Amino acid sequence: MVAPSLSEMNDSYLEFIEKIKKEIQKQRVSVVMNANTSMIILYWNIGRAILKKQQEEGWGTKVIDRMSKDLKTAFPEMSGFSPRNIKYMRKFAQCWEDEKIVQRVVAQIPWRTNISLMDKLKTQEE
């Protein structure tokens, strides 16, 4: 059976399908935004864990290199675990100590934009 062409459908169907398409578009954006927020919070948590370990044990840069290798091995399908990006995670946690601000505001900003802001701005107020 072949689906009828759109021109053969009544106005009620055309309105119906438009509503469905708009809902799909809206939810696609929502999924992307939620995924971004989850990733930002994950990166902040990793950065916070690194800071805590460094305070406790005085870790050096080699630990970040080792961590990068171990995470890439454990999660080969994921990107974002380069030594450079892990250093940004640590810096991110240093810049934003308050988890509530991270969850409400900062997590709405894409990761690359957060990196750019960290590189360009000197203070949190900026």
Side-chain angles (χ1 to χ4, degrees):
M1 183 171 192
V2 177
S5 68
L6 275 179
S7 62
E8 296 177 66
M9 301 304 294
N10 63 30
D11 289 344
S12 172
Y13 175 80
L14 296 176
E15 289 174 22
F16 164 79
I17 198 65
E18 282 306 311
K19 284 181 184 177
I20 297 295
K21 291 187 317 189
K22 285 179 183 174
E23 180 64 22
I24 291 169
Q25 289 171 335
K26 178 181 157 189
Q27 291 305 319
R28 286 177 67 183
V29 169
S30 177
V31 166
V32 169
M33 291 302 294
N34 287 331
N36 178 70
T37 298
S38 294
M39 184 191 73
I40 298 292
I41 291 170
L42 170 66
Y43 284 1
W44 183 80
N45 284 327
I46 291 170
R48 191 171 66 171
I50 293 167
L51 289 172
K52 184 178 179 193
K53 262 307 192 202
Q54 286 179 329
Q55 287 173 349
E56 293 171 358
E57 300 179 17
W59 280 13
T61 331
K62 291 180 184 174
V63 171
I64 287 180
D65 292 336
R66 181 75 245 170
M67 184 180 186
S68 171
K69 185 174 173 57
D70 291 339
L71 291 175
K72 285 178 183 179
T73 300
F75 305 101
E77 73 286 356
M78 291 179 71
S79 61
F81 296 126
S82 67
R84 182 174 182 224
N85 205 44
I86 292 173
K87 288 175 188 172
Y88 274 122
M89 292 176 202
R90 182 184 62 199
K91 185 176 181 179
F92 185 61
Q94 279 178 316
C95 291
W96 300 103
E97 295 175 4
D98 185 353
E99 186 173 7
K100 290 177 185 167
I101 291 174
V102 172
Q103 289 177 340
R104 279 187 274 144
V105 180
V106 183
Q108 305 306 312
I109 302 169
W111 181 240
R112 293 284 170 227
T113 303
N114 274 300
I115 288 174
S116 186
L117 290 171
M118 288 187 286
D119 286 343
K120 292 177 183 171
L121 306 175
K122 303 293 181 231
T123 65
Q124 195 180 69
E125 290 74 28
E126 286 180 311

